[in-house]
Amino acid sequence: MFRAKVKKIYTWVLTLFLISFLSNPCLAAISVQEIINNMQKAYDKQMAGINDYMVIQKPSGGLGAIAGETKMYYKKAKVDGEEIYKTRTETEVMGMKMVSIYDGKYSWSTNPLTGKVESKIAEGDPLQFWNWKSIDSTKTEYLGEEMIDGEKTYILRIDNAMQVMSSQAQAAAMQENRPQGATGKLWLSSKTWMPLRMEMIIKSDSEGMAMNIITTTDFEDYREVGTIIHPFKIIANTSTEIDTSGVSEDVKEEGEEMWEMMQSMMSEMGSFTIETVEVKVNTGLSDDLFDGTKLK
């Protein structure tokens, strides 16, 4: 009887201990908001002493084969009380030199066909590769942890992937093509809170044919330049999934070759590498570089 009572008490105490242990906040999975807060702190720490910086990149493969060296200039400024970085991008595409400027309010560019300078109101830097500030905790789910090249990462599933994982220019182009939706995943370093991998899936459905365009981007060779942590190698790979189960047999037979060509083309053109040639910080960039009215 006594042994039974002791066993019962032991079981009860052990159960309480396990409940207390497993519910300890130190052991609970990290929340989406915590991740966003840590990204903000890491960004603020990196950029606190950066007044301006310049990045030179060289793309290769896929779409990168038609582009030349790209120079990007950034300068800290206050616009309507908000601290931002004005940007200037100089690149060459198929032999045509292209310059675009974001001054905090407008995006400026020279039309390569007409030679005229054009401007439009911008909600943010139109060429920013990804915008972590657009991560909405209500549209984001924490999926767990994964090791990438020996480094622990936190994985987020993001519903508003177009706003987070693409530039405004890319998002606008995708909206024109009217995709049914876009979801994404983000793998963040648990040490630096920088992205090590992004995956975006663009979904579309037309006349019974469903198509998913999947782009995976890896950020590698992070180096510290000044206080900035910059990936010196970015590798993008694109694949396409096509479901023709809703298409009639006649149409399926006619379009089979075309769909195979489309998958091949998307894979070839959407897979490229961007290597950073040089990064310079606080060199005293001139304000004239970011003045759209001085574009020619």
Side-chain angles (χ1 to χ4, degrees), residues 240-242 259-268:
T240 308
E241 297 175 347
I242 297 178
W259 294 328
E260 287 179 1
M261 287 177 60
M262 184 191 301
Q263 285 180 300
S264 178
M265 183 186 72
M266 291 295 293
S267 176
E268 288 177 12

Side-chain angles (χ1 to χ4, degrees), residues 199-240:
E199 179 188 84
M200 184 158 69
I201 302 175
I202 302 169
K203 303 177 180 181
S204 63
D205 193 339
S206 177
E207 298 178 358
M209 184 183 77
M211 182 168 68
N212 291 339
I213 300 172
I214 306 161
T215 301
T216 302
T217 306
D218 287 302
F219 299 84
E220 301 180 355
D221 191 17
Y222 272 98
R223 303 181 199 174
E224 200 167 315
V225 182
T227 55
I228 293 176
I229 302 173
H230 180 83
F232 272 64
K233 193 171 189 178
I234 300 172
I235 303 171
N237 286 291
T238 299
S239 61
T240 308

